Amino acid sequence: MEKQPPLVFKISKLTYQTIGAVLLLVICGWAGYNLYLNRSFQRIKKERGSPPIAIKLLAKGRPIAGMGSNLTQLTLNNDFDSPRWYLFPLILGDSLPSTGMFYTINGERNVDLRKYPFEKSRLRVVDFSFYGQDSPNNSFLGFCLPPQSTLIIANYPLMMHEKAIGQHVEAWEVEFLFTNSYISFAEWLSTELLSSGNVRLLQKALAIGTNNKSYILKSQSPAKKYLKKTSRQQDLLPKSNVIYLRAHGIRKLSVKIELK
């Protein structure tokens, strides 16, 4: 039987060009992904000695009924060795409840959560809006920062009364945020509310790839999660409804809305 010659694969010049083009697309795609992240987020150094909250007005929106959404540069500084919450009235110029207690509205949407820019990024900025009874005075916009960190958000839209521009407004730096069952608010929601530290979030990330979620603070949803995870009797019991959120360790701040 005649011996067959070994099988030889010949790669043509066209095949080499095709492989090269595919590799180039992969490299360009990865470079573009990183470029997007770099344009969305910038690493910054901790601004030591700076005030906990700074608001600089960048552009005014069209006011309606004496209030409007204005673009600002929002800077938050946590000088402590533990996380801190930063709470604002939904409309700057309004006040937050003196008791530190925010009562929920049963059966209605209570929390809107937004993450920037998108899930695949290792860096993130999280903000959330809580809607309580007699809104807006019992509602707030919130952030949570890690220890010894600074967060700067460029072109961040904030609702404010027209008369509050250039004036001092109320905001809080808070040590703990609990439900009425003394469970951490973040733990009860079973989601991460902590933003990355020492980053600057740029305008592009605000418009692209946000991850929005809404929560109803009722016991049924968490109970379903526990039923799937464990069979222990104490874990099968649903968590109690969230009647209110309570801020503990409040540092009340008077923050001036600086003009550009």
Side-chain angles (χ1 to χ4, degrees):
M1 186 175 180
E2 186 178 353
K3 188 176 182 180
Q4 296 292 333
L7 186 61
V8 178
F9 291 97
K10 294 184 179 181
I11 301 178
S12 67
K13 183 178 180 181
L14 180 61
T15 304
Y16 275 119
Q17 291 174 345
T18 303
I19 294 173
V22 171
L23 289 175
L24 182 61
L25 286 173
V26 171
I27 294 171
C28 289
W30 178 251
Y33 171 80
N34 282 280
L35 180 62
Y36 172 83
L37 291 184
N38 290 335
R39 288 179 176 176
S40 301
F41 282 122
Q42 289 181 349
R43 279 290 188 185
I44 58 176
K45 292 183 178 180
K46 172 76 178 72
E47 297 189 358
R48 298 187 180 278
S50 298
I53 299 173
I55 302 172
K56 181 184 293 185
L57 182 66
L58 301 180
K60 289 180 62 177
R62 183 179 179 181
I64 300 176
M67 65 186 72
S69 179
N70 301 323
L71 292 181
T72 66
Q73 176 172 289
L74 178 63
T75 303
L76 306 176
N77 283 291
N78 180 6
D79 286 332
F80 294 91
D81 293 325
S82 58
R84 286 295 185 274
W85 301 84
Y86 296 85
L87 307 185
F88 304 83
L90 287 182
I91 305 174
L92 297 184
D94 286 341
S95 59
L96 295 168
S98 59
T99 59
M101 298 169 68
F102 301 87
Y103 288 88
T104 64
I105 307 171
N106 291 331
E108 296 184 10
R109 181 185 65 180
N110 297 111
V111 178
D112 283 341
L113 176 71
R114 296 182 296 180
K115 295 183 180 181
Y116 306 100
F118 46 73
E119 293 285 349
K120 294 181 180 179
S121 174
R122 288 178 294 177
L123 301 177
R124 67 176 178 272
V125 171
V126 183
D127 71 10
F128 62 92
S129 299
F130 173 84
Y131 304 95
Q133 293 178 4
D134 303 320
S135 185
N137 293 329
N138 200 30
S139 305
F140 63 85
L141 168 71
F143 296 85
C144 187
L145 259 65
Q148 297 294 331
S149 64
T150 295
L151 170 64
I152 301 176
I153 309 180
N155 291 284
Y156 186 74
L158 281 173
M159 286 293 296
M160 61 185 71
H161 292 285
E162 188 76 8
K163 62 183 181 181
I165 296 176
Q167 304 300 316
H168 287 82
V169 297
E170 183 179 4
W172 291 357
E173 184 179 55
V174 174
E175 189 174 1
F176 300 108
L177 191 58
F178 291 115
T179 69
N180 50 283
S181 302
Y182 292 96
I183 299 173
S184 164
F185 181 50
E187 180 184 348
W188 200 95
L189 282 181
S190 300
T191 190
E192 183 60 73
L193 296 179
L194 191 69
S195 294
S196 298
N198 298 324
V199 296
R200 182 195 301 269
L201 179 63
L202 303 183
Q203 180 181 11
K204 186 175 181 180
L206 291 176
I208 300 176
T210 57
N211 180 15
N212 301 332
K213 295 181 180 179
S214 295
Y215 293 86
I216 296 176
L217 305 186
K218 303 281 283 184
S219 64
Q220 286 80 358
S221 296
K224 289 179 181 178
K225 292 181 181 178
Y226 283 165
L227 283 169
K228 295 178 181 179
K229 289 183 178 180
T230 180
S231 61
R232 291 186 300 172
Q233 182 65 29
Q234 60 268 31
D235 289 336
L236 290 175
L237 297 176
K239 297 178 182 179
S240 59
N241 289 355
V242 174
I243 300 172
Y244 59 80
L245 297 181
R246 184 171 205 164
H248 177 75
I250 301 171
R251 180 184 179 189
K252 295 185 179 182
L253 303 169
S254 180
V255 182
K256 185 175 183 180
I257 301 177
E258 301 286 350
L259 301 179
K260 186 176 177 181

